[in-house]
Amino acid sequence: MTKELVFSGVQPTGNLHLGNYLGAIVNFVKLQNTHHCIYCVVDLHAITVWQDPAELMRNIREVTAAFIASGIDPKKHIVFNQSQVAEHAELAWVFNCVARLGWLNRMTQFKEKAGKDRENASVGLYAYPNLMAADILVYRATHVPVGEDQKQHLELSRDIAQKFNNDFADSIKAHGFAEKFFPQPEPLITGPATRVMSLRDGAKKMSKSDPSDYSRINLSDDADAIAQKVRKAKTDPEPLPSEEEGLKSRPEADNLVGIFAALSGKSKQDVLKEFGGGQFSGFKAALVDLSVHKLGPIGAEMKKLSQDSAYVDSILVDGANRARAIAAETMNAVKDIVGFIRKA
Ligand code: TRP
C-alpha cells in the first residue's frame, strides 16, 4: 500500500452496463491491490437533473450492489453515498467561492447537458464541477480514475486546489499546515477497450438511455439475457481479420473484439490470433461463453443483493462513518484556514 489515495464517484442514474463496468468498475477493482480506495455513489451529483425519489433510492442501492458484486471490498476500502457525508457539500460551498465564473463557463459537459435551454438548467448542474472537486479534495485524494469525459472536470479540481493553496498561503502557514494543503489530484485514465459501443450500432457509445435494451448488456442481466444479447449483436458479413489493422472501418467487429479482449484480459491482437480468418459464428459462441462466465455471476449477485436492501444500506452507513472521519478532519482545517470559528 502506498500513501496514494484513490477516489472516484459513480452517479446513481440507472442502468449500469458493460461500458460502465469495463470503463470504470474493473479498474476500481484492480486499484484495490495497490491503493487505499474510496468509492462514492454520488447522489448529490445525480439531482443536478431531475430524479424521481423512489427511483433514486433504488439506483443508489443498485450502484452499491454493482460495486460489491464486481469485487470491491467495502471492508478493506470505503464505499458510501455522498449525501451521508455533509462535508462534501460544505467544502463545495467554499469552492464555489474559490472557483471563477470564467472557469465554469468553459466546461463542455455543462454546455452539452444544459443544451439550448440553458436558462432552465439547475444552478447545481452549473456548479457540479466544484462539488466534484470537493469530493476528491475533502479526502485530499491523489489519484482519480476517470473516463475521458471527466478529464476537464479533474483539471478544474487541480485549479481549485492550487488557487485555494495560493489564496490562503499565509493562513495555511500560520496554522502550521503543509504549504500544499490540497494535493493536485492526478487522473488515472483507464487502459484500452474502455470505450464500449452499442451492440446495435458500432458508431454509438453503449448507453443507459438507448431505447433498445439489446444495445447494451446491463450489469444486472442474468446469464440468459447476456447470451441472447451477444448472439443478436450486430456484425458484418466478412470473416474476422487476422490483424488489428483490419478492424478499422469495421466498428461492430472492432467493438466485439474489444469486449472479448477486455473480458479475457488479452490484447485485441491476441484475440485475433485466435479467431482471425474465422466466421463470426465461432467467435460469437466463444464470446457468449466468456461473457456469461464473467458477467453472469455479477448479475446473479446483484439480484441477491437487491433482495436485501438492509444489508446494502448497512454497507453505505458503515462506509459513510469511516469517510466522515477523514472528511471532518479536512473540513476543520479548512474552517481554520478560511477564518471561521468552530467548536474546538
Ligand atoms: N462526474 C462524474 C461522472 O459523471 C462522477 C463524479 C462525481 C466523480 N464526483 C467525482 C468522478 C469525483 C471522480 C471523482 O462520471
Side-chain angles (χ1 to χ4, degrees):
M1 287 280 176
T2 61
K3 292 211 88 158
E4 296 177 347
L5 178 63
V6 163
F7 182 97
S8 198
V10 172
Q11 293 204 48
T13 44
N15 268 341
L16 281 183
H17 53 69
L18 185 63
N20 305 113
Y21 180 69
L22 293 177
I25 299 174
V26 167
N27 205 34
F28 292 3
V29 173
K30 268 199 216 130
L31 286 164
Q32 295 183 108
N33 299 320
T34 49
H35 293 72
H36 293 290
C37 305
I38 303 179
Y39 296 127
C40 185
V41 185
V42 289
D43 47 12
L44 298 176
H45 277 97
I47 64 163
T48 55
V49 297
W50 171 252
Q51 303 295 327
D52 174 79
E55 228 167 87
L56 177 61
M57 239 183 191
R58 208 162 42 72
N59 288 334
I60 294 168
R61 291 183 178 129
E62 181 171 306
V63 174
T64 311
F67 281 173
I68 294 162
S70 303
I72 289 172
D73 182 341
K75 293 239 152 60
K76 285 204 187 116
H77 301 274
I78 294 180
V79 172
F80 73 108
N81 60 310
Q82 193 182 23
S83 60
Q84 291 204 69
V85 179
E87 284 78 0
H88 288 245
E90 229 179 328
L91 184 59
W93 180 260
V94 175
F95 287 173
N96 283 344
C97 304
V98 172
R100 307 288 92 183
L101 278 179
W103 299 0
L104 287 174
N105 284 338
R106 268 179 244 129
M107 296 296 113
T108 54
Q109 189 174 291
F110 174 76
K111 290 177 201 167
E112 276 163 27
K113 283 202 184 173
K116 282 196 200 83
D117 195 10
R118 204 179 286 191
E119 295 287 303
N120 198 35
S122 74
V123 175
L125 188 66
Y126 185 73
Y128 170 123
N130 294 345
L131 177 60
M132 180 163 160
D135 296 340
I136 300 163
L137 295 171
V138 85
Y139 302 100
R140 287 178 268 182
T142 55
H143 290 79
V144 183
V146 282
E148 278 295 324
D149 64 321
Q150 295 298 315
K151 259 173 97 175
Q152 195 185 32
H153 291 161
L154 198 61
E155 305 243 313
L156 186 89
S157 302
R158 297 164 65 89
D159 292 343
I160 289 174
Q162 188 163 29
K163 184 160 162 52
F164 182 95
N165 291 347
N166 287 340
D167 289 355
F168 292 102
D170 292 344
S171 187
I172 287 170
K173 202 167 169 196
H175 282 94
F177 295 115
E179 201 177 321
K180 295 203 165 65
F181 178 76
F182 285 122
Q184 293 270 293
E186 306 265 351
L188 290 172
I189 302 291
T190 46
T194 51
R195 261 173 84 80
V196 179
M197 311 308 280
S198 158
L199 299 180
R200 312 264 36 166
D201 177 353
K204 281 201 295 197
K205 253 173 92 166
M206 187 174 282
S207 157
K208 65 177 181 209
S209 49
D210 193 308
S212 167
D213 200 48
Y214 275 93
S215 70
R216 67 184 157 260
I217 296 176
N218 302 301
L219 279 187
S220 57
D221 282 345
D222 63 18
D224 286 346
I226 297 166
Q228 274 269 350
K229 288 175 178 180
V230 173
R231 272 190 215 109
K232 292 212 166 162
K234 190 176 167 200
T235 52
D236 60 41
E238 305 293 319
L240 280 166
S242 306
E243 299 293 329
E244 231 183 304
E245 269 297 296
L247 291 172
K248 277 189 188 147
S249 69
R250 294 180 63 185
E252 282 82 18
D254 189 25
N255 188 37
L256 294 179
V257 170
I259 291 171
F260 195 108
L263 285 175
S264 62
K266 292 180 186 161
S267 67
K268 282 193 205 175
Q269 191 57 57
D270 282 343
V271 175
L272 292 177
K273 224 180 263 164
E274 194 178 340
F275 295 99
Q279 296 301 320
F280 264 108
S281 52
F283 171 71
K284 263 195 174 177
L287 184 56
V288 166
D289 286 348
L290 176 64
S291 314
V292 166
H293 175 71
K294 291 279 178 181
L295 305 172
I298 296 177
E301 179 67 14
M302 283 179 69
K303 186 166 180 197
K304 226 170 85 191
L305 290 168
S306 75
Q307 283 147 9
D308 194 355
S309 61
Y311 171 69
V312 173
D313 294 2
S314 74
I315 285 174
L316 293 173
V317 168
D318 173 65
N321 287 339
R322 289 184 290 134
R324 198 179 301 113
I326 307 169
E329 210 176 296
T330 303
M331 203 55 222
N332 280 340
V334 166
K335 285 179 179 173
D336 292 344
I337 290 165
V338 171
F340 294 154
I341 293 172
R342 65 177 176 91
K343 198 171 110 209

Coordinates of all heavy atoms in Angstrom, one line a residue, residues 146-216:
V146 N -10.9 8.2 -13.9 CA -12.0 8.8 -14.6 C -11.9 8.5 -16.1 O -10.8 8.2 -16.6 CB -12.0 10.3 -14.5 CG1 -12.6 10.8 -13.2 CG2 -10.7 11.0 -14.8
G147 N -13.0 8.6 -16.8 CA -13.0 8.5 -18.2 C -12.6 9.8 -18.9 O -12.5 10.8 -18.2
E148 N -12.4 9.7 -20.2 CA -12.0 10.9 -20.9 C -13.0 12.1 -20.7 O -12.6 13.2 -20.5 CB -12.1 10.6 -22.4 CG -10.9 9.9 -23.0 CD -9.6 10.7 -23.0 OE1 -9.7 12.0 -23.2 OE2 -8.6 10.2 -22.7
D149 N -14.3 11.8 -20.5 CA -15.3 12.8 -20.4 C -15.2 13.6 -19.1 O -15.8 14.7 -19.0 CB -16.7 12.2 -20.6 CG -17.0 11.3 -19.4 OD1 -16.1 10.5 -19.0 OD2 -18.2 11.3 -18.9
Q150 N -14.4 13.1 -18.2 CA -14.3 13.8 -16.9 C -13.0 14.5 -16.7 O -12.7 15.1 -15.7 CB -14.5 12.8 -15.7 CG -16.0 12.3 -15.7 CD -17.0 13.4 -15.5 OE1 -16.8 14.2 -14.6 NE2 -18.1 13.3 -16.3
K151 N -12.1 14.4 -17.7 CA -10.8 15.0 -17.6 C -10.8 16.5 -17.4 O -10.1 17.0 -16.6 CB -10.0 14.7 -18.9 CG -9.0 13.5 -18.7 CD -8.3 13.1 -19.9 CE -7.0 13.7 -20.1 NZ -6.3 13.2 -21.3
Q152 N -11.7 17.2 -18.0 CA -11.8 18.6 -17.9 C -12.2 19.0 -16.5 O -11.7 20.0 -15.9 CB -12.8 19.2 -18.9 CG -12.6 20.7 -19.0 CD -13.7 21.3 -19.9 OE1 -14.8 20.8 -20.0 NE2 -13.3 22.4 -20.6
H153 N -13.1 18.2 -15.9 CA -13.5 18.5 -14.5 C -12.4 18.2 -13.5 O -12.3 19.0 -12.5 CB -14.7 17.6 -14.1 CG -16.0 18.0 -14.8 ND1 -17.1 17.1 -15.0 CD2 -16.4 19.1 -15.5 CE1 -18.0 17.7 -15.6 NE2 -17.6 18.9 -16.0
L154 N -11.6 17.2 -13.8 CA -10.5 17.0 -12.9 C -9.4 18.1 -13.0 O -8.8 18.5 -12.0 CB -9.8 15.6 -13.3 CG -9.0 15.1 -12.2 CD1 -9.8 14.8 -10.9 CD2 -8.3 13.8 -12.6
E155 N -9.2 18.6 -14.2 CA -8.3 19.8 -14.4 C -8.8 21.0 -13.5 O -8.0 21.7 -12.9 CB -8.3 20.2 -15.8 CG -7.9 19.1 -16.8 CD -6.6 19.4 -17.5 OE1 -6.4 20.6 -17.9 OE2 -5.7 18.5 -17.5
L156 N -10.1 21.1 -13.5 CA -10.7 22.2 -12.7 C -10.4 22.0 -11.2 O -10.1 22.9 -10.5 CB -12.2 22.3 -13.0 CG -12.9 23.5 -12.3 CD1 -12.8 24.7 -13.2 CD2 -14.3 23.2 -11.9
S157 N -10.5 20.7 -10.8 CA -10.2 20.4 -9.4 C -8.8 20.8 -9.1 O -8.5 21.3 -8.0 CB -10.3 18.9 -9.2 OG -11.6 18.4 -9.5
R158 N -7.9 20.5 -10.0 CA -6.5 20.9 -9.8 C -6.4 22.4 -9.7 O -5.6 22.9 -8.8 CB -5.6 20.4 -10.9 CG -5.6 18.9 -11.0 CD -5.1 18.4 -12.4 NE -3.7 18.7 -12.6 CZ -2.7 18.0 -12.2 NH1 -2.9 16.8 -11.6 NH2 -1.4 18.3 -12.4
D159 N -7.1 23.1 -10.5 CA -7.0 24.6 -10.5 C -7.6 25.1 -9.2 O -7.0 26.1 -8.6 CB -7.8 25.2 -11.7 CG -7.2 24.9 -13.0 OD1 -6.0 24.6 -13.0 OD2 -7.9 25.1 -14.0
I160 N -8.7 24.5 -8.7 CA -9.3 25.0 -7.4 C -8.3 24.7 -6.3 O -8.1 25.5 -5.4 CB -10.6 24.2 -7.2 CG1 -11.7 24.8 -8.2 CG2 -11.1 24.4 -5.7 CD1 -13.0 24.0 -8.1
A161 N -7.7 23.5 -6.3 CA -6.7 23.1 -5.2 C -5.6 24.2 -5.2 O -5.2 24.7 -4.1 CB -6.2 21.7 -5.5
Q162 N -5.1 24.5 -6.4 CA -4.0 25.4 -6.5 C -4.4 26.8 -6.0 O -3.6 27.5 -5.3 CB -3.4 25.5 -7.9 CG -2.2 26.2 -8.0 CD -1.4 25.9 -9.3 OE1 -2.1 25.6 -10.3 NE2 -0.1 26.0 -9.3
K163 N -5.5 27.3 -6.4 CA -6.0 28.6 -6.1 C -6.2 28.7 -4.6 O -5.9 29.7 -3.9 CB -7.2 29.1 -6.9 CG -7.6 30.5 -6.6 CD -8.5 31.1 -7.7 CE -9.3 32.3 -7.3 NZ -8.5 33.4 -6.7
F164 N -6.8 27.7 -4.0 CA -7.0 27.7 -2.6 C -5.7 27.8 -1.8 O -5.5 28.6 -0.9 CB -7.8 26.4 -2.1 CG -8.1 26.4 -0.7 CD1 -9.3 26.8 -0.2 CD2 -7.1 25.9 0.2 CE1 -9.6 26.8 1.2 CE2 -7.4 25.8 1.6 CZ -8.6 26.3 2.1
N165 N -4.7 26.9 -2.3 CA -3.4 26.9 -1.6 C -2.7 28.3 -1.8 O -2.0 28.7 -0.8 CB -2.5 25.9 -2.3 CG -2.9 24.4 -2.0 OD1 -3.7 24.2 -1.1 ND2 -2.4 23.5 -2.7
N166 N -2.9 28.9 -2.9 CA -2.3 30.3 -3.1 C -3.0 31.4 -2.3 O -2.4 32.1 -1.6 CB -2.3 30.7 -4.6 CG -1.3 29.9 -5.4 OD1 -0.4 29.3 -4.9 ND2 -1.6 29.8 -6.7
D167 N -4.3 31.4 -2.4 CA -5.1 32.5 -1.8 C -4.9 32.5 -0.3 O -4.9 33.5 0.4 CB -6.6 32.3 -2.1 CG -7.0 32.6 -3.5 OD1 -6.1 33.1 -4.3 OD2 -8.2 32.5 -3.9
F168 N -4.8 31.2 0.3 CA -4.8 31.1 1.7 C -3.3 30.8 2.2 O -3.2 30.3 3.3 CB -5.8 30.1 2.2 CG -7.2 30.5 2.0 CD1 -8.0 30.0 0.9 CD2 -7.8 31.5 2.9 CE1 -9.3 30.5 0.8 CE2 -9.1 31.9 2.7 CZ -9.9 31.4 1.6
A169 N -2.3 31.0 1.4 CA -1.0 30.6 1.7 C -0.5 31.0 3.1 O 0.0 30.2 3.9 CB 0.0 31.0 0.6
D170 N -0.8 32.3 3.4 CA -0.4 32.8 4.7 C -1.1 32.1 5.9 O -0.4 31.7 6.9 CB -0.6 34.3 4.8 CG 0.3 35.1 3.8 OD1 1.3 34.5 3.3 OD2 -0.1 36.3 3.5
S171 N -2.4 31.9 5.7 CA -3.1 31.3 6.8 C -2.8 29.8 6.9 O -2.7 29.3 8.0 CB -4.6 31.5 6.5 OG -5.4 31.0 7.5
I172 N -2.5 29.2 5.8 CA -2.1 27.7 5.8 C -0.8 27.6 6.6 O -0.7 26.8 7.5 CB -2.0 27.2 4.4 CG1 -3.3 27.0 3.7 CG2 -1.2 25.9 4.4 CD1 -3.3 26.7 2.2
K173 N 0.1 28.5 6.4 CA 1.4 28.5 7.1 C 1.2 28.9 8.5 O 1.7 28.2 9.4 CB 2.3 29.6 6.4 CG 3.7 29.3 6.7 CD 4.6 30.2 5.8 CE 6.0 30.1 6.2 NZ 6.8 31.2 5.6
A174 N 0.4 29.9 8.8 CA 0.1 30.3 10.2 C -0.5 29.2 11.0 O -0.2 29.1 12.2 CB -0.8 31.5 10.2
H175 N -1.3 28.4 10.4 CA -1.9 27.2 11.2 C -1.0 26.0 11.2 O -1.4 25.0 11.7 CB -3.2 26.9 10.6 CG -4.3 27.9 11.0 ND1 -4.6 29.0 10.3 CD2 -5.0 28.0 12.2 CE1 -5.6 29.7 10.9 NE2 -5.8 29.1 12.1
G176 N 0.2 26.1 10.6 CA 1.1 25.0 10.6 C 0.9 23.9 9.7 O 1.4 22.8 9.9
F177 N 0.0 24.1 8.7 CA -0.2 23.0 7.7 C 0.9 23.1 6.6 O 1.5 24.1 6.4 CB -1.6 23.2 7.0 CG -2.7 23.0 8.0 CD1 -3.6 24.1 8.3 CD2 -2.9 21.8 8.7 CE1 -4.6 23.9 9.2 CE2 -4.0 21.6 9.6 CZ -4.8 22.7 9.9
A178 N 1.0 22.0 5.9 CA 1.9 21.9 4.8 C 1.5 22.9 3.7 O 0.3 23.2 3.5 CB 2.0 20.5 4.2
E179 N 2.5 23.5 3.0 CA 2.2 24.5 2.0 C 1.2 24.1 1.0 O 0.3 24.8 0.6 CB 3.6 24.8 1.4 CG 3.7 26.1 0.7 CD 5.1 26.3 0.1 OE1 6.1 25.9 0.8 OE2 5.2 26.8 -1.0
K180 N 1.4 22.8 0.5 CA 0.4 22.3 -0.4 C -0.7 21.6 0.3 O -0.7 20.4 0.4 CB 1.1 21.3 -1.4 CG 2.1 22.0 -2.3 CD 2.4 21.3 -3.6 CE 3.1 22.1 -4.6 NZ 4.5 22.5 -4.2
F181 N -1.5 22.4 0.9 CA -2.6 21.8 1.8 C -3.4 20.8 1.0 O -3.7 19.7 1.4 CB -3.5 22.9 2.3 CG -4.6 22.4 3.2 CD1 -4.3 21.9 4.5 CD2 -5.9 22.3 2.7 CE1 -5.4 21.4 5.3 CE2 -6.9 21.8 3.5 CZ -6.6 21.3 4.7
F182 N -3.9 21.3 -0.2 CA -4.6 20.3 -1.1 C -3.6 19.8 -2.1 O -2.8 20.6 -2.7 CB -5.8 21.0 -1.8 CG -7.0 21.3 -0.9 CD1 -7.4 22.5 -0.8 CD2 -7.6 20.2 -0.3 CE1 -8.6 22.8 0.0 CE2 -8.7 20.4 0.5 CZ -9.2 21.7 0.7
P183 N -3.6 18.5 -2.4 CA -2.7 18.0 -3.4 C -3.3 18.3 -4.8 O -4.5 18.7 -4.9 CB -2.7 16.5 -3.2 CG -4.1 16.2 -2.6 CD -4.4 17.5 -1.8
Q184 N -2.5 18.0 -5.8 CA -3.0 18.1 -7.2 C -3.5 16.7 -7.6 O -2.6 15.9 -7.9 CB -1.9 18.6 -8.1 CG -1.5 20.0 -7.9 CD -2.3 21.0 -8.7 OE1 -2.2 21.1 -9.9 NE2 -3.1 21.8 -8.0
P185 N -4.7 16.5 -7.6 CA -5.2 15.1 -8.0 C -4.9 14.7 -9.4 O -5.1 15.5 -10.3 CB -6.7 15.1 -7.7 CG -7.1 16.5 -7.8 CD -5.9 17.3 -7.3
E186 N -4.3 13.5 -9.6 CA -3.9 13.0 -10.9 C -5.0 12.1 -11.5 O -5.5 11.3 -10.8 CB -2.7 12.1 -10.8 CG -1.5 12.7 -10.1 CD -0.5 13.3 -11.1 OE1 -0.7 13.1 -12.3 OE2 0.4 14.0 -10.6
P187 N -5.3 12.3 -12.8 CA -6.2 11.3 -13.4 C -5.5 10.0 -13.6 O -4.3 9.9 -13.9 CB -6.5 12.0 -14.8 CG -5.3 12.8 -15.1 CD -4.8 13.3 -13.8
L188 N -6.3 8.9 -13.5 CA -5.8 7.6 -13.9 C -6.7 7.2 -15.0 O -7.9 6.7 -14.8 CB -6.0 6.6 -12.7 CG -5.1 6.8 -11.5 CD1 -5.5 5.8 -10.4 CD2 -3.6 6.5 -11.9
I189 N -6.3 7.5 -16.2 CA -7.1 7.1 -17.4 C -6.9 5.6 -17.6 O -5.8 5.1 -17.6 CB -6.7 8.0 -18.6 CG1 -6.8 9.5 -18.3 CG2 -7.5 7.6 -19.8 CD1 -8.2 10.0 -18.1
T190 N -8.1 5.0 -17.8 CA -8.0 3.5 -17.9 C -7.5 3.1 -19.3 O -7.4 3.8 -20.2 CB -9.4 2.9 -17.7 OG1 -10.3 3.7 -18.5 CG2 -9.8 3.0 -16.3
G191 N -7.0 1.8 -19.3 CA -6.4 1.3 -20.5 C -7.3 1.2 -21.7 O -8.3 1.9 -21.8
P192 N -6.9 0.3 -22.7 CA -7.7 0.2 -23.9 C -9.0 -0.5 -23.6 O -9.3 -0.9 -22.5 CB -6.8 -0.7 -24.8 CG -5.9 -1.5 -23.8 CD -5.7 -0.6 -22.6
A193 N -9.9 -0.4 -24.6 CA -11.2 -1.1 -24.6 C -12.1 -0.4 -23.5 O -13.0 -1.1 -23.0 CB -11.1 -2.6 -24.3
T194 N -11.8 0.8 -23.2 CA -12.7 1.5 -22.2 C -13.9 2.0 -22.9 O -14.9 2.2 -22.3 CB -11.9 2.6 -21.5 OG1 -11.4 3.5 -22.5 CG2 -10.9 2.1 -20.6
R195 N -13.8 2.2 -24.2 CA -15.0 2.7 -24.9 C -15.8 1.5 -25.5 O -15.4 0.9 -26.5 CB -14.5 3.6 -26.1 CG -14.6 5.0 -25.8 CD -14.0 5.8 -26.9 NE -15.0 6.1 -28.0 CZ -15.9 7.0 -28.0 NH1 -16.1 7.8 -26.9 NH2 -16.7 7.2 -29.0
V196 N -16.8 1.1 -24.8 CA -17.7 0.1 -25.3 C -18.8 0.7 -26.1 O -19.5 1.6 -25.6 CB -18.2 -0.8 -24.1 CG1 -19.1 -1.9 -24.6 CG2 -17.1 -1.3 -23.3
M197 N -19.0 0.1 -27.3 CA -20.0 0.7 -28.2 C -21.3 -0.1 -28.1 O -21.4 -1.2 -27.6 CB -19.5 0.8 -29.6 CG -18.1 1.4 -29.8 SD -17.9 3.0 -29.0 CE -18.7 4.0 -30.3
S198 N -22.4 0.5 -28.6 CA -23.7 -0.2 -28.7 C -23.6 -1.5 -29.4 O -22.8 -1.6 -30.4 CB -24.7 0.7 -29.4 OG -25.8 0.0 -29.9
L199 N -24.3 -2.5 -29.0 CA -24.3 -3.8 -29.7 C -25.1 -3.7 -31.0 O -25.1 -4.7 -31.8 CB -24.8 -4.9 -28.8 CG -24.0 -5.2 -27.5 CD1 -24.7 -6.3 -26.7 CD2 -22.6 -5.5 -27.8
R200 N -25.9 -2.7 -31.1 CA -26.7 -2.5 -32.3 C -26.1 -1.6 -33.4 O -26.6 -1.5 -34.5 CB -28.1 -2.0 -31.9 CG -28.8 -2.7 -30.8 CD -29.8 -3.7 -31.3 NE -29.3 -4.4 -32.4 CZ -29.7 -5.5 -33.0 NH1 -30.6 -6.2 -32.5 NH2 -29.1 -6.0 -34.0
D201 N -25.2 -0.7 -32.9 CA -24.6 0.3 -33.8 C -23.2 0.6 -33.3 O -23.0 1.3 -32.3 CB -25.5 1.5 -33.8 CG -24.9 2.6 -34.7 OD1 -23.7 2.5 -35.1 OD2 -25.6 3.6 -34.9
G202 N -22.2 0.1 -34.0 CA -20.8 0.3 -33.5 C -20.3 1.7 -33.5 O -19.2 1.9 -33.1
A203 N -21.1 2.6 -34.0 CA -20.7 4.0 -34.1 C -21.2 4.8 -32.9 O -20.7 5.9 -32.6 CB -21.2 4.7 -35.4
K204 N -22.1 4.2 -32.1 CA -22.6 4.9 -30.9 C -22.1 4.2 -29.6 O -22.0 3.0 -29.6 CB -24.2 4.7 -30.9 CG -24.9 5.7 -31.9 CD -26.3 5.9 -31.4 CE -27.2 4.6 -31.5 NZ -28.6 4.8 -31.5
K205 N -21.9 5.1 -28.6 CA -21.4 4.5 -27.3 C -22.5 3.7 -26.7 O -23.7 4.1 -26.8 CB -21.1 5.7 -26.4 CG -19.6 5.8 -26.2 CD -19.2 7.0 -25.4 CE -19.1 6.8 -23.9 NZ -18.5 7.9 -23.2
M206 N -22.2 2.7 -26.0 CA -23.2 1.9 -25.2 C -23.8 2.9 -24.2 O -23.0 3.6 -23.5 CB -22.6 0.7 -24.5 CG -23.6 -0.2 -23.9 SD -22.9 -1.7 -23.2 CE -22.7 -2.7 -24.7
S207 N -25.1 3.0 -24.1 CA -25.7 4.0 -23.3 C -26.9 3.5 -22.5 O -27.7 2.7 -23.0 CB -26.1 5.2 -24.2 OG -27.1 5.9 -23.6
K208 N -27.0 4.0 -21.3 CA -28.2 3.6 -20.5 C -29.5 4.1 -21.1 O -30.6 3.7 -20.7 CB -28.0 4.1 -19.0 CG -28.0 5.6 -19.0 CD -27.9 6.2 -17.6 CE -28.0 7.7 -17.7 NZ -27.3 8.4 -16.6
S209 N -29.4 5.2 -21.9 CA -30.6 5.8 -22.4 C -31.0 5.3 -23.8 O -32.0 5.8 -24.4 CB -30.5 7.3 -22.3 OG -29.3 7.7 -22.9
D210 N -30.2 4.4 -24.4 CA -30.7 3.8 -25.7 C -32.0 3.1 -25.5 O -32.1 2.3 -24.6 CB -29.6 2.9 -26.2 CG -29.8 2.5 -27.7 OD1 -30.9 2.1 -28.0 OD2 -28.8 2.6 -28.5
P211 N -33.0 3.5 -26.4 CA -34.3 2.8 -26.2 C -34.3 1.3 -26.4 O -35.1 0.6 -25.8 CB -35.2 3.5 -27.3 CG -34.2 4.2 -28.2 CD -33.0 4.5 -27.4
S212 N -33.3 0.8 -27.2 CA -33.2 -0.7 -27.3 C -32.4 -1.3 -26.2 O -31.2 -1.0 -26.1 CB -32.6 -1.0 -28.7 OG -32.3 -2.4 -28.7
D213 N -33.0 -2.2 -25.4 CA -32.2 -2.9 -24.4 C -31.2 -3.9 -25.0 O -30.2 -4.2 -24.4 CB -33.2 -3.7 -23.5 CG -32.6 -4.0 -22.1 OD1 -32.0 -3.1 -21.5 OD2 -32.6 -5.2 -21.7
Y214 N -31.4 -4.2 -26.3 CA -30.4 -5.1 -27.0 C -29.1 -4.3 -27.4 O -28.2 -4.9 -27.8 CB -31.1 -5.7 -28.2 CG -31.8 -7.0 -27.9 CD1 -33.2 -7.0 -27.6 CD2 -31.1 -8.2 -27.7 CE1 -33.9 -8.1 -27.2 CE2 -31.8 -9.3 -27.4 CZ -33.2 -9.3 -27.1 OH -33.8 -10.4 -26.7
S215 N -29.1 -3.0 -27.1 CA -27.9 -2.3 -27.5 C -26.9 -2.4 -26.4 O -25.7 -2.0 -26.6 CB -28.3 -0.8 -27.6 OG -28.6 -0.2 -26.4
R216 N -27.3 -2.9 -25.2 CA -26.3 -2.9 -24.1 C -26.5 -4.2 -23.3 O -27.6 -4.8 -23.3 CB -26.6 -1.7 -23.2 CG -27.9 -1.8 -22.5 CD -28.2 -0.5 -21.6 NE -29.7 -0.5 -21.5 CZ -30.5 0.2 -22.2 NH1 -30.0 1.2 -23.0 NH2 -31.8 0.1 -22.1

